Amino acid sequence: MKHKLNFIDLELARIKESNLHRKLQYGKAQGAHITIKGKKLINLSSNDYLGIQITKIQTNQLQSSSRLVSGNDESYRKLEDMLAKHKSQQNSLIYPTGYMANLGAISAIASKGDLILSDELNHASIIESCKLSGAKISIYKHNDMDDLGEKIKKQGKNKFVITEGVFSMDGDLSSLKEITEIAQKANAITVVDDAHGDFVIGKDGKGTPEYFNVAKKIDLYISSLSKGLGSFGGYVTSQNNVIDLCINKSKSFIYTSALPSFLIEHSIKRIQSNREIQKKKLESNLEKLSKGLKSIGYEINSETQIIPIIVGDEKTAMKFGKFLFKNGIFAQPIRYPTVPKNQARLRISVTAWLTNTNIEKSLKIFKKGYKKFL
Ligand SMILES: Cc1ncc(COP(=O)(O)O)c(C=O)c1O
């Protein structure tokens, strides 16, 4: 008799045949470097964009329970007040991760009969949360305001426009000025997931809406503490009744353990720290790296610290990634389903950790890679 789990092998074989198989790699990331299999590589795949020095973390309790039971350490109130202030909103709510914040918040506020307009390149957690809500979903072409303008005319009890601030795989910015105008005209609720813009973009690091001067027009922000802030967790911020509903309806908030308080305290320290020097360093690193890549011949359209190098087919992207690894650079190839098929890429993320020497070495290797793979 056939083993009942044999179908798994077939499924894995299909994934492998399409060059889409993923393997976990174990590494130790430290500052500008990551060591994998004993090899020290320049890390161009970190989301710790500002590279804030790690302070010693003290912990006396790792776990208690969910926040609605006994896991609601008083440090949460302090951090949630700080995050609401950071976004000039009434209130905020911390979730264990940004992924869970998206799942929980969007499924709490949107429901059957509503209409969600979602950018086609939105993150997997947004896609899943929209499905979970039961609302009608209309996908508009990436950053295409004509398409959004048309699709928003469809029927819906409540209408929502959901977009990322900085698109995580392309590094471009959403057209927030136009989006908020279109949403306002249709009386739609604007939701921005700014996981990659928060603490990095905008004059005061308040994110993409600050950069476009439309912060007051955003009804609900969703973000991660695990990227620009260099800590861990996710949060939403909005007006009081939205947060109240999230506490009462978000399954990814109610039915899971609270983050340990030492992580909350760590986030508080990071928010209190002066991040200006790192922000300037990131800007200057970004300029050097993208100028260098352009001068080699790479087509760089990103405006942010996320720089995709589009390779096209998945096999070449994997080969390029291996070539970089061999030459001391860690830039992870990104493939379907994270990005569309045949748009495989190397996603470079620039951080403030990188030194001039790191950047010069990376450019030298990327020059060789350009000749070999593009
Ligand atoms: C746009 C976007 N939203 C949400 C998340 C999830 O955030 P977290 O890593 O905190 O779960 C990510 C993570 O990569 C992301 O890119």
Side-chain angles (χ1 to χ4, degrees):
M1 206 165 50
K2 240 175 46 182
H3 191 279
K4 59 189 172 192
L5 283 176
N6 276 2
F7 73 95
I8 304 278
D9 290 334
L10 290 178
E11 174 119 32
L12 281 169
R14 266 198 298 273
I15 295 173
K16 282 179 189 161
E17 256 168 44
S18 321
N19 295 304
L20 297 174
H21 190 247
R22 288 148 159 91
K23 265 192 188 156
L24 281 173
Q25 302 196 74
Y26 296 91
K28 219 357 92 288
Q30 200 164 35
H33 294 96
I34 181 164
T35 305
I36 301 175
K37 292 181 189 153
K39 198 171 163 74
K40 193 173 172 189
L41 309 150
I42 296 170
N43 191 356
L44 296 184
S45 289
S46 167
N47 287 338
D48 183 8
Y49 303 124
L50 294 181
I52 305 164
Q53 207 57 255
I54 312 283
T55 46
K56 261 214 153 34
I57 297 178
Q58 281 191 341
T59 168
N60 40 27
Q61 187 175 13
L62 281 175
Q63 218 294 304
S64 54
S65 80
S66 100
R67 286 189 61 193
L68 282 169
V69 185
S70 66
N72 202 29
D73 188 86
E74 56 193 18
S75 55
Y76 271 98
R77 190 61 265 157
K78 188 169 176 189
L79 180 56
E80 283 170 345
D81 285 345
M82 289 171 115
L83 291 168
K85 197 164 161 228
H86 167 64
K87 294 291 192 197
S88 307
Q89 292 278 344
Q90 282 179 346
N91 210 341
S92 84
L93 188 68
I94 295 163
Y95 288 71
T97 64
Y99 195 107
M100 291 166 88
N102 268 330
L103 279 195
I106 295 168
S107 64
I109 59 167
S111 53
K112 200 161 175 253
D114 292 339
L115 173 70
I116 298 180
L117 290 309
S118 176
D119 188 289
E120 70 174 323
L121 293 191
N122 276 344
H123 188 256
S125 55
I126 302 178
I127 298 169
E128 292 307 313
S129 68
C130 293
K131 287 184 199 159
L132 209 58
S133 73
K136 197 159 64 182
I137 303 161
S138 181
I139 311 287
Y140 63 90
K141 287 188 203 135
H142 178 51
N143 248 341
D144 185 327
M145 294 304 108
D146 291 336
D147 199 30
L148 173 62
E150 269 312 304
K151 289 185 169 146
I152 209 167
K153 290 177 189 159
K154 291 182 189 171
Q155 288 301 313
K157 193 162 43 107
N158 300 301
K159 295 184 185 179
F160 299 84
V161 183
I162 303 186
T163 180
E164 292 185 28
V166 173
F167 284 89
S168 60
M169 293 300 139
D170 290 72
D172 56 339
L173 298 164
S174 63
S175 307
L176 274 187
K177 206 168 168 322
E178 294 81 356
I179 288 176
T180 49
E181 278 163 15
I182 293 170
Q184 205 162 12
K185 273 192 202 135
N187 200 29
I189 295 148
T190 309
V191 182
V192 177
D193 170 354
D194 208 17
H196 295 274
D198 205 5
F199 305 102
V200 179
I201 305 283
K203 192 169 68 59
D204 299 319
K206 294 188 175 186
T208 318
E210 183 197 27
Y211 178 83
F212 286 114
N213 202 16
V214 293
K216 289 202 177 88
K217 294 184 175 173
I218 310 301
D219 301 295
L220 178 68
Y221 289 97
I222 303 171
S223 185
S224 172
L225 301 170
S226 315
K227 305 180 197 301
L229 193 65
S231 185
F232 194 85
Y235 74 97
V236 304
T237 161
S238 185
Q239 57 182 50
N240 284 324
N241 60 355
V242 173
I243 300 303
D244 198 6
L245 193 67
C246 288
I247 294 171
N248 283 280
K249 271 187 77 186
S250 285
K251 292 199 167 72
S252 62
F253 173 81
I254 302 170
Y255 299 106
T256 193
S257 298
L259 282 178
S261 55
F262 76 87
L263 282 173
I264 302 301
E265 275 154 21
H266 188 59
S267 292
I268 292 173
K269 280 195 196 134
R270 287 270 164 110
I271 291 194
Q272 285 170 334
S273 71
N274 185 343
R275 302 182 297 279
E276 252 332 282
I277 296 169
Q278 282 89 351
K279 210 164 165 285
K280 292 234 157 66
K281 183 83 184 0
L282 173 60
E283 278 161 21
S284 114
N285 281 353
L286 174 57
E287 198 187 326
K288 281 180 208 145
L289 200 68
S290 69
K291 239 190 199 163
L293 289 168
K294 277 180 196 162
S295 76
I296 293 168
Y298 286 102
E299 200 184 315
I300 308 291
N301 298 315
S302 159
E303 301 147 84
T304 68
Q305 75 280 3
I306 298 169
I307 306 179
I309 290 186
I310 314 285
V311 176
D313 76 280
E314 285 76 23
K315 205 168 178 173
T316 313
M318 292 303 287
K319 279 191 189 157
F320 201 161
K322 277 193 188 139
F323 164 83
L324 292 175
F325 188 99
K326 236 170 90 186
N327 287 282
I329 310 288
F330 187 66
Q332 189 80 309
I334 308 281
R335 293 164 289 165
Y336 177 84
T338 310
V339 294
K341 274 192 181 142
N342 285 316
Q343 284 192 36
R345 64 200 61 189
L346 295 156
R347 175 187 182 271
I348 297 176
S349 50
V350 186
T351 69
W353 288 113
L354 300 172
T355 60
N356 283 344
T357 318
N358 296 149
I359 294 173
E360 278 155 24
K361 177 172 176 191
S362 304
L363 287 171
K364 222 159 94 185
I365 307 301
F366 271 103
K367 192 169 182 178
K368 286 187 189 163
Y370 185 80
K371 288 189 190 136
K372 211 169 153 69
F373 298 102
L374 294 180

